Amino acid sequence: MDRTTAAMPVLHPGARAHIVAPASAPREAERYTAGVQALQREWVLAEAYAPTPPYGYLSMPDAERVAQLQRALTAPDVEAVLCARGGYGTMRLLSRLDWDAIARATPRWIIGYSDITALQWACWTHLRWPSLSGPVVTEWAQLPAAMRAEVFRATDPAPYTPAWHSHPPPTPWTTGTARGPLLGGTLSVLTRLLGTPHMPDLTGAILLLEDVQEPPYAIDRMLMHLELAGVLDDLAGVLLGQFSVPDDVRQPTLSMDTVLRDYFADRPYPVLAEVPYGHLMPRCIWPMGMPVHLDTSPPAAPVVCYPDDW
């Protein structure tokens, strides 16, 4: 895998950002408004998505979302693109973006998670732009001060270890050390990129996975898709975050732990489970596409991003 990443800006309070809605509209206007107001205390918002009546499960028709996103990815003096929320719809935009024009723009951080995984992986594949798997705007007003500070700290090229935010330490399933670019996000989004020009080469990568409200059989099917495609064989390591399950799981069923262990408990590379990452708060902020040193040897099992000797 080509490890070359774009030269990214270091974010500080006062950084200039665009807010976009490439997927679904905010469910609650009040939470979005509160998030924007909280952001304005630390960011300069060059442009912000203004909610309109949603277009079904999308925030706006594709043409409007593409135009908004294209502006955010190419406007001068923009250091970050913040996303109103996830939901669904980002993938519909990938083939409509002018990637040549975006490549001529200064690199900027894409901050979000869930459905935004599709945009973050596409930006890594086409541009080698890293991104932050971090909060969306509707969460910003509820963020602890430590998480808001971590969003800025995660863009500093000094060695960075994600904060566990009082979570129990993760559990090593296989021990060892690994180095590679960190790539990951929501499993049900990233599997849909397989076979498309927006899917990155994961050879030598450290893969970070999570998902929300998916039954064990669905996670099993998605992981088998990655297995049959050969993706899981050539990784350098794996980090497993939160996998929440619906209340009405069809019976009989395997447990989520059993499914995950079937795929990862006997790998020849290091695997770290129960990482505080997913759809629930609080969670770690992860710099996707940046180099990572993973050590699952007891007792600490640390993950250090962009080590000095990379």
Side-chain angles (χ1 to χ4, degrees):
M1 171 184 269
D2 176 11
R3 292 173 172 167
T4 304
T5 60
M8 304 298 289
V10 178
L11 299 179
H12 302 283
R16 289 176 59 84
H18 273 226
I19 297 177
V20 298
S24 300
R27 291 193 185 98
E28 301 172 11
E30 296 80 7
R31 287 191 64 185
Y32 176 72
T33 300
V36 172
Q37 291 172 347
L39 282 162
Q40 287 173 325
R41 293 193 284 269
E42 297 179 289
W43 300 73
V44 174
L45 299 182
E47 183 177 323
Y49 158 71
T52 58
Y55 181 65
Y57 43 75
L58 305 171
S59 64
M60 298 173 285
D62 288 353
E64 294 177 37
R65 287 180 297 118
V66 166
Q68 178 192 76
L69 186 55
Q70 188 77 31
R71 286 196 308 275
L73 294 173
T74 57
D77 301 322
V78 169
E79 298 167 276
V81 177
L82 309 172
C83 299
R85 66 160 290 203
Y88 170 74
T90 306
M91 200 173 302
R92 292 173 60 127
L93 310 183
L94 299 183
S95 63
R96 305 182 185 210
L97 291 168
D98 184 345
W99 290 103
D100 291 336
I102 298 169
R104 294 192 293 270
T106 55
R108 57 210 64 196
W109 295 93
I110 314 299
I111 303 177
Y113 72 106
S114 193
D115 197 66
I116 310 305
T117 299
L119 176 62
Q120 292 171 324
W121 277 39
C123 284
W124 169 255
T125 300
H126 298 294
L127 311 168
R128 283 299 184 264
W129 287 7
S131 58
L132 289 186
S133 189
V136 292
V137 175
T138 53
E139 297 173 320
W140 204 270
Q142 287 79 43
L143 289 185
M147 280 194 69
R148 296 199 305 272
E150 192 175 0
V151 170
F152 296 109
R153 185 170 64 89
T155 69
D156 190 322
Y160 160 71
T161 300
W164 297 136
H165 297 294
S166 301
H167 281 265
T171 303
W173 280 1
T174 63
T175 59
T177 61
R179 291 173 179 242
L182 179 70
L183 288 168
T186 301
L187 177 62
S188 55
V189 176
L190 65 89
T191 56
R192 269 59 173 194
L193 294 180
L194 283 172
T196 76
H198 314 294
M199 177 74 180
D201 177 10
L202 295 180
T203 303
I206 294 177
L207 185 62
L208 173 63
L209 298 175
E210 62 86 29
D211 219 313
V212 62
Q213 292 297 291
E214 292 283 358
Y217 79 85
I219 296 298
D220 190 337
R221 181 168 55 199
M222 288 183 266
L223 290 174
M224 181 51 68
H225 189 183
L226 294 179
E227 175 77 13
L228 294 175
V231 170
L232 301 183
D233 293 334
D234 298 324
L235 300 171
V238 167
L239 300 168
L240 297 174
Q242 301 158 348
F243 289 81
S244 66
V245 176
D247 294 332
D248 57 345
V249 172
R250 184 185 307 167
Q251 299 295 332
T253 183
L254 297 174
S255 70
M256 187 66 75
D257 183 73
T258 297
V259 170
L260 295 173
R261 286 181 181 274
D262 278 348
Y263 288 93
F264 295 112
D266 297 316
R267 291 288 170 179
Y269 44 72
V271 176
L272 193 62
E274 300 172 33
V275 171
Y277 171 68
H279 278 64
L280 304 178
M281 287 288 189
R283 59 178 179 267
C284 296
I285 308 296
W286 294 95
M288 301 298 179
M290 296 300 286
V292 164
H293 172 73
L294 171 62
D295 184 355
T296 60
S297 303
V303 183
V304 180
C305 303
Y306 17 92
D308 281 332
D309 58 346
W310 182 262

